[in-house]
Amino acid sequence: MRPKHRIGLLLTTAVLLLGLTGCQRADMSVLDPAGPVAKMQLSIIMLSVYIMSGIFVVAMGILLYVLIRYRSRRGQNQPPKQVEGNNVLEAIWTIIPVILLAILAVPTVTTAFALDAKPTGSNVLNVKVKASQFWWQFEYPDLGIVTAQELHIPTGTKVNLQLETTDVMHSFWVPRLAGKTDLIPGRTNTMWIQADQPGEFQGKCAEYCGPSHGVMDFLVVAEDPRQFQAWTDRMKHPQVQPAGDAAVEGEKLFAQNCASCHSVAGTNFKGALGPNLTGFADRIKVAGVLENTDENVRRWISDPAAVKPGTKMPKVPLNEQQISAVAAFLRDLK
Ligand code: CUA
């Protein structure tokens, strides 16, 4: 291959790799931690980066020195003196890695144990996370609230997560708050997260789980404790009275076509197969991936599989005007 082509190939590979590693998503950067768990994990990552950088600089330095110092010189036609079985050298390159590994191992093990300990105390929130192809349910057993796709948490509070799956393996990942934890059939895994400041933190399923794995997104919405309290109040006593003719018609259509799978707190709709839709008007996203606009709600209802291939949500036999009515009803659920 000509050198020019080789450089081109290298650059293309580098760009592709950068794209694949997700470097373009600032909202999902592990390097920008927003809570104590992610900060502790980042400190371990940085420690190993510093150690590796040190090794790289020293090793490359020695290599350069040897290349220059012992390069072949004019008039030299014998190979240089060969070294074999040098005890001092062997001891050095055994002991140094042992020390480096110890420096890395001690904080790694202590952090792993610290993160594994289940937080206790009064300022702890418990949430049961249930993953299904291709959506997330969040249940607050102490508050009597069930929601989907958006996990609301108060800032400055440790949140215990109990992770379960109803079907295949998934993985809970909110890069700015904590590393991944798998959800494994027949098992309950645990982890905890905490957000220091209010904000929306992007979450993703990080274990291949089927055709819509790539769009099995969710959000962690961290709010200051007073706002979180207001949210829980709204979720416990939602406003479910449809306002306007379209919403009233939408409620009827919802009862006939949607309520066997979806619940809404404060109504007779108790379906448990699909996401709970209480407080839908408050949601930032529809189906976890589309902005919550009127148009997107209609788009989702009219052809769910076009947004999430493999979804269990069926295409309901409604015409355009009826879909608009259902959307109006949903967008009224405050
Ligand atoms: Cu769920 Cu990937």
Side-chain angles (χ1 to χ4, degrees), residues 80-122:
K81 197 183 129 212
Q82 303 295 300
V83 180
E84 212 187 314
N86 187 319
N87 286 342
V88 176
L89 276 181
E90 281 175 22
I92 290 175
W93 65 56
T94 306
I95 291 168
I96 292 181
V98 168
I99 295 173
L100 290 178
L101 283 179
I103 294 175
L104 200 55
V106 173
T108 303
V109 172
T110 38
T111 307
F113 276 98
L115 289 178
D116 196 43
K118 188 180 172 186
T120 48
S122 55

Short mmCIF file of all heavy atoms in Angstrom, two decimals, residues 80-122:
data_model
loop_
_atom_site.label_atom_id
_atom_site.label_comp_id
_atom_site.label_asym_id
_atom_site.label_seq_id
_atom_site.Cartn_x
_atom_site.Cartn_y
_atom_site.Cartn_z
N PRO A 80 25.88 -6.14 18.21
CA PRO A 80 26.38 -5.66 19.51
C PRO A 80 26.43 -6.79 20.53
O PRO A 80 25.89 -7.87 20.32
CB PRO A 80 25.36 -4.61 19.91
CG PRO A 80 24.15 -4.90 19.10
CD PRO A 80 24.59 -5.58 17.86
N LYS A 81 27.07 -6.52 21.66
CA LYS A 81 27.21 -7.52 22.73
C LYS A 81 25.82 -7.96 23.22
O LYS A 81 24.95 -7.11 23.48
CB LYS A 81 27.99 -6.88 23.89
CG LYS A 81 28.54 -7.91 24.86
CD LYS A 81 29.24 -7.21 26.02
CE LYS A 81 28.73 -7.76 27.34
NZ LYS A 81 28.72 -6.77 28.40
N GLN A 82 25.57 -9.24 23.30
CA GLN A 82 24.26 -9.75 23.69
C GLN A 82 24.19 -9.97 25.22
O GLN A 82 25.15 -10.44 25.83
CB GLN A 82 23.99 -11.08 22.99
CG GLN A 82 24.05 -10.99 21.47
CD GLN A 82 22.95 -10.10 20.89
OE1 GLN A 82 21.78 -10.37 21.08
NE2 GLN A 82 23.36 -9.02 20.21
N VAL A 83 23.05 -9.56 25.80
CA VAL A 83 22.87 -9.72 27.25
C VAL A 83 21.87 -10.85 27.50
O VAL A 83 20.84 -10.91 26.85
CB VAL A 83 22.33 -8.42 27.88
CG1 VAL A 83 22.15 -8.59 29.40
CG2 VAL A 83 23.26 -7.26 27.58
N GLU A 84 22.17 -11.72 28.44
CA GLU A 84 21.24 -12.82 28.73
C GLU A 84 21.27 -13.12 30.21
O GLU A 84 22.34 -13.17 30.83
CB GLU A 84 21.69 -14.05 27.93
CG GLU A 84 20.53 -14.92 27.52
CD GLU A 84 21.00 -16.21 26.87
OE1 GLU A 84 21.90 -16.15 26.00
OE2 GLU A 84 20.48 -17.27 27.27
N GLY A 85 20.08 -13.28 30.79
CA GLY A 85 20.01 -13.68 32.20
C GLY A 85 20.59 -12.67 33.16
O GLY A 85 21.50 -12.98 33.92
N ASN A 86 20.05 -11.42 33.10
CA ASN A 86 20.53 -10.40 34.03
C ASN A 86 19.58 -10.32 35.22
O ASN A 86 18.45 -9.85 35.11
CB ASN A 86 20.60 -9.05 33.30
CG ASN A 86 21.24 -7.97 34.15
OD1 ASN A 86 20.98 -7.90 35.36
ND2 ASN A 86 22.08 -7.17 33.54
N ASN A 87 20.01 -10.81 36.38
CA ASN A 87 19.12 -10.90 37.55
C ASN A 87 18.60 -9.55 38.00
O ASN A 87 17.43 -9.43 38.39
CB ASN A 87 19.85 -11.58 38.71
CG ASN A 87 19.98 -13.07 38.46
OD1 ASN A 87 19.25 -13.61 37.62
ND2 ASN A 87 20.91 -13.72 39.15
N VAL A 88 19.46 -8.53 37.98
CA VAL A 88 19.04 -7.20 38.44
C VAL A 88 17.91 -6.69 37.56
O VAL A 88 16.85 -6.25 38.04
CB VAL A 88 20.24 -6.23 38.43
CG1 VAL A 88 19.78 -4.83 38.82
CG2 VAL A 88 21.34 -6.72 39.34
N LEU A 89 18.11 -6.76 36.24
CA LEU A 89 17.07 -6.29 35.32
C LEU A 89 15.77 -7.06 35.53
O LEU A 89 14.69 -6.48 35.60
CB LEU A 89 17.54 -6.48 33.87
CG LEU A 89 18.42 -5.38 33.30
CD1 LEU A 89 18.78 -5.70 31.85
CD2 LEU A 89 17.72 -4.03 33.36
N GLU A 90 15.86 -8.37 35.65
CA GLU A 90 14.65 -9.17 35.81
C GLU A 90 13.91 -8.83 37.10
O GLU A 90 12.68 -8.76 37.12
CB GLU A 90 14.98 -10.66 35.74
CG GLU A 90 15.17 -11.12 34.31
CD GLU A 90 15.61 -12.56 34.17
OE1 GLU A 90 15.39 -13.33 35.13
OE2 GLU A 90 16.17 -12.89 33.12
N ALA A 91 14.68 -8.60 38.15
CA ALA A 91 14.05 -8.22 39.41
C ALA A 91 13.34 -6.88 39.25
O ALA A 91 12.20 -6.71 39.69
CB ALA A 91 15.10 -8.14 40.52
N ILE A 92 13.99 -5.93 38.56
CA ILE A 92 13.38 -4.60 38.38
C ILE A 92 12.06 -4.72 37.62
O ILE A 92 11.03 -4.19 38.02
CB ILE A 92 14.35 -3.65 37.64
CG1 ILE A 92 15.53 -3.30 38.57
CG2 ILE A 92 13.62 -2.37 37.19
CD1 ILE A 92 16.61 -2.46 37.91
N TRP A 93 12.07 -5.46 36.49
CA TRP A 93 10.81 -5.48 35.73
C TRP A 93 9.79 -6.47 36.26
O TRP A 93 8.74 -6.67 35.70
CB TRP A 93 11.04 -5.56 34.22
CG TRP A 93 11.66 -6.79 33.65
CD1 TRP A 93 11.27 -8.08 33.75
CD2 TRP A 93 12.81 -6.80 32.78
NE1 TRP A 93 12.08 -8.89 33.04
CE2 TRP A 93 13.05 -8.14 32.42
CE3 TRP A 93 13.67 -5.80 32.28
CZ2 TRP A 93 14.10 -8.52 31.60
CZ3 TRP A 93 14.70 -6.19 31.46
CH2 TRP A 93 14.92 -7.54 31.14
N THR A 94 10.10 -7.12 37.36
CA THR A 94 9.05 -7.88 38.06
C THR A 94 8.48 -7.02 39.19
O THR A 94 7.26 -6.95 39.37
CB THR A 94 9.63 -9.18 38.65
OG1 THR A 94 10.29 -9.89 37.59
CG2 THR A 94 8.53 -10.05 39.24
N ILE A 95 9.38 -6.36 39.93
CA ILE A 95 8.92 -5.63 41.12
C ILE A 95 8.11 -4.39 40.74
O ILE A 95 7.05 -4.14 41.33
CB ILE A 95 10.13 -5.23 41.99
CG1 ILE A 95 10.73 -6.50 42.62
CG2 ILE A 95 9.72 -4.26 43.10
CD1 ILE A 95 12.07 -6.29 43.27
N ILE A 96 8.56 -3.65 39.72
CA ILE A 96 7.83 -2.42 39.37
C ILE A 96 6.37 -2.72 39.00
O ILE A 96 5.45 -2.09 39.54
CB ILE A 96 8.57 -1.63 38.25
CG1 ILE A 96 9.88 -1.08 38.83
CG2 ILE A 96 7.70 -0.49 37.72
CD1 ILE A 96 10.71 -0.28 37.87
N PRO A 97 6.08 -3.70 38.11
CA PRO A 97 4.66 -3.99 37.83
C PRO A 97 3.89 -4.45 39.07
O PRO A 97 2.71 -4.11 39.21
CB PRO A 97 4.73 -5.12 36.80
CG PRO A 97 6.06 -4.99 36.17
CD PRO A 97 6.98 -4.46 37.22
N VAL A 98 4.55 -5.19 39.96
CA VAL A 98 3.85 -5.63 41.17
C VAL A 98 3.42 -4.41 41.99
O VAL A 98 2.26 -4.31 42.44
CB VAL A 98 4.74 -6.57 42.01
CG1 VAL A 98 4.14 -6.79 43.40
CG2 VAL A 98 4.91 -7.90 41.30
N ILE A 99 4.34 -3.44 42.13
CA ILE A 99 4.01 -2.23 42.89
C ILE A 99 2.87 -1.47 42.20
O ILE A 99 1.89 -1.06 42.82
CB ILE A 99 5.26 -1.33 43.03
CG1 ILE A 99 6.31 -2.04 43.89
CG2 ILE A 99 4.89 0.02 43.65
CD1 ILE A 99 7.64 -1.32 43.94
N LEU A 100 2.97 -1.34 40.87
CA LEU A 100 1.94 -0.60 40.13
C LEU A 100 0.58 -1.28 40.27
O LEU A 100 -0.44 -0.61 40.47
CB LEU A 100 2.32 -0.48 38.66
CG LEU A 100 3.51 0.44 38.36
CD1 LEU A 100 3.84 0.43 36.87
CD2 LEU A 100 3.22 1.87 38.83
N LEU A 101 0.57 -2.61 40.18
CA LEU A 101 -0.70 -3.32 40.31
C LEU A 101 -1.29 -3.16 41.71
O LEU A 101 -2.50 -3.02 41.87
CB LEU A 101 -0.52 -4.81 39.98
CG LEU A 101 -0.41 -5.13 38.49
CD1 LEU A 101 -0.20 -6.61 38.27
CD2 LEU A 101 -1.65 -4.65 37.74
N ALA A 102 -0.40 -3.13 42.72
CA ALA A 102 -0.89 -2.94 44.09
C ALA A 102 -1.51 -1.55 44.23
O ALA A 102 -2.59 -1.39 44.81
CB ALA A 102 0.24 -3.13 45.08
N ILE A 103 -0.83 -0.53 43.63
CA ILE A 103 -1.37 0.83 43.70
C ILE A 103 -2.75 0.89 43.06
O ILE A 103 -3.65 1.59 43.50
CB ILE A 103 -0.40 1.82 43.00
CG1 ILE A 103 0.92 1.90 43.77
CG2 ILE A 103 -1.03 3.21 42.86
CD1 ILE A 103 1.97 2.75 43.11
N LEU A 104 -2.93 0.12 41.99
CA LEU A 104 -4.21 0.10 41.29
C LEU A 104 -5.25 -0.74 42.03
O LEU A 104 -6.43 -0.39 42.10
CB LEU A 104 -3.97 -0.50 39.90
CG LEU A 104 -4.99 -0.23 38.81
CD1 LEU A 104 -5.20 1.25 38.63
CD2 LEU A 104 -4.52 -0.85 37.50
N ALA A 105 -4.79 -1.85 42.62
CA ALA A 105 -5.74 -2.82 43.20
C ALA A 105 -6.38 -2.30 44.48
O ALA A 105 -7.59 -2.45 44.66
CB ALA A 105 -5.02 -4.14 43.47
N VAL A 106 -5.60 -1.66 45.34
CA VAL A 106 -6.15 -1.28 46.64
C VAL A 106 -7.35 -0.34 46.50
O VAL A 106 -8.44 -0.65 46.97
CB VAL A 106 -5.04 -0.72 47.56
CG1 VAL A 106 -5.63 -0.15 48.83
CG2 VAL A 106 -4.02 -1.81 47.86
N PRO A 107 -7.20 0.81 45.80
CA PRO A 107 -8.39 1.67 45.66
C PRO A 107 -9.51 1.02 44.86
O PRO A 107 -10.69 1.29 45.12
CB PRO A 107 -7.87 2.93 44.95
CG PRO A 107 -6.49 2.65 44.54
CD PRO A 107 -6.00 1.40 45.18
N THR A 108 -9.17 0.16 43.88
CA THR A 108 -10.22 -0.48 43.08
C THR A 108 -11.08 -1.36 43.97
O THR A 108 -12.32 -1.30 43.93
CB THR A 108 -9.60 -1.33 41.95
OG1 THR A 108 -8.76 -0.48 41.17
CG2 THR A 108 -10.67 -1.93 41.07
N VAL A 109 -10.42 -2.17 44.81
CA VAL A 109 -11.18 -3.10 45.66
C VAL A 109 -11.97 -2.32 46.72
O VAL A 109 -13.15 -2.58 46.93
CB VAL A 109 -10.23 -4.13 46.31
CG1 VAL A 109 -10.97 -4.97 47.35
CG2 VAL A 109 -9.63 -5.03 45.24
N THR A 110 -11.34 -1.31 47.34
CA THR A 110 -12.09 -0.56 48.37
C THR A 110 -13.29 0.16 47.75
O THR A 110 -14.38 0.16 48.32
CB THR A 110 -11.20 0.47 49.10
OG1 THR A 110 -10.32 1.05 48.16
CG2 THR A 110 -10.42 -0.12 50.22
N THR A 111 -13.11 0.75 46.54
CA THR A 111 -14.23 1.44 45.89
C THR A 111 -15.33 0.44 45.54
O THR A 111 -16.51 0.73 45.72
CB THR A 111 -13.76 2.17 44.62
OG1 THR A 111 -12.66 3.01 44.96
CG2 THR A 111 -14.86 3.02 44.03
N ALA A 112 -14.93 -0.72 45.03
CA ALA A 112 -15.92 -1.73 44.65
C ALA A 112 -16.77 -2.11 45.86
O ALA A 112 -18.00 -2.19 45.77
CB ALA A 112 -15.25 -2.96 44.05
N PHE A 113 -16.13 -2.30 47.00
CA PHE A 113 -16.89 -2.66 48.21
C PHE A 113 -17.76 -1.49 48.68
O PHE A 113 -18.91 -1.68 49.08
CB PHE A 113 -15.95 -3.13 49.32
CG PHE A 113 -15.60 -4.58 49.19
CD1 PHE A 113 -14.40 -4.98 48.61
CD2 PHE A 113 -16.48 -5.58 49.62
CE1 PHE A 113 -14.08 -6.33 48.46
CE2 PHE A 113 -16.18 -6.93 49.47
CZ PHE A 113 -14.97 -7.29 48.90
N ALA A 114 -17.20 -0.28 48.62
CA ALA A 114 -17.97 0.90 49.04
C ALA A 114 -19.22 1.06 48.18
O ALA A 114 -20.29 1.40 48.68
CB ALA A 114 -17.10 2.15 48.95
N LEU A 115 -19.10 0.81 46.88
CA LEU A 115 -20.24 0.98 45.98
C LEU A 115 -21.24 -0.16 46.13
O LEU A 115 -22.42 0.00 45.87
CB LEU A 115 -19.77 1.08 44.54
CG LEU A 115 -19.03 2.36 44.18
CD1 LEU A 115 -18.56 2.33 42.75
CD2 LEU A 115 -19.92 3.57 44.41
N ASP A 116 -20.75 -1.31 46.55
CA ASP A 116 -21.63 -2.47 46.68
C ASP A 116 -22.51 -2.37 47.92
O ASP A 116 -23.60 -2.94 47.96
CB ASP A 116 -20.78 -3.75 46.72
CG ASP A 116 -21.62 -4.98 46.47
OD1 ASP A 116 -22.46 -4.91 45.55
OD2 ASP A 116 -21.46 -5.97 47.19
N ALA A 117 -22.03 -1.64 48.94
CA ALA A 117 -22.80 -1.54 50.18
C ALA A 117 -24.10 -0.81 49.93
O ALA A 117 -24.12 0.26 49.32
CB ALA A 117 -21.97 -0.80 51.23
N LYS A 118 -25.19 -1.39 50.39
CA LYS A 118 -26.51 -0.78 50.17
C LYS A 118 -26.66 0.40 51.11
O LYS A 118 -26.55 0.26 52.33
CB LYS A 118 -27.58 -1.83 50.45
CG LYS A 118 -28.97 -1.38 50.08
CD LYS A 118 -29.98 -2.46 50.39
CE LYS A 118 -31.38 -1.88 50.19
NZ LYS A 118 -32.43 -2.78 50.60
N PRO A 119 -26.93 1.60 50.57
CA PRO A 119 -27.08 2.76 51.45
C PRO A 119 -28.28 2.58 52.38
O PRO A 119 -29.31 2.05 51.97
CB PRO A 119 -27.33 3.92 50.49
CG PRO A 119 -26.95 3.42 49.15
CD PRO A 119 -27.11 1.95 49.17
N THR A 120 -28.12 3.02 53.62
CA THR A 120 -29.23 2.95 54.56
C THR A 120 -29.41 4.33 55.18
O THR A 120 -28.62 5.23 54.93
CB THR A 120 -28.96 1.93 55.69
OG1 THR A 120 -27.65 2.19 56.18
CG2 THR A 120 -29.04 0.50 55.18
N GLY A 121 -30.43 4.49 56.02
CA GLY A 121 -30.67 5.78 56.66
C GLY A 121 -32.00 6.34 56.21
O GLY A 121 -32.72 5.71 55.42
N SER A 122 -32.32 7.52 56.72
CA SER A 122 -33.64 8.09 56.43
C SER A 122 -33.66 8.76 55.06
O SER A 122 -34.67 8.79 54.39
CB SER A 122 -34.02 9.09 57.52
OG SER A 122 -33.00 10.05 57.64
#
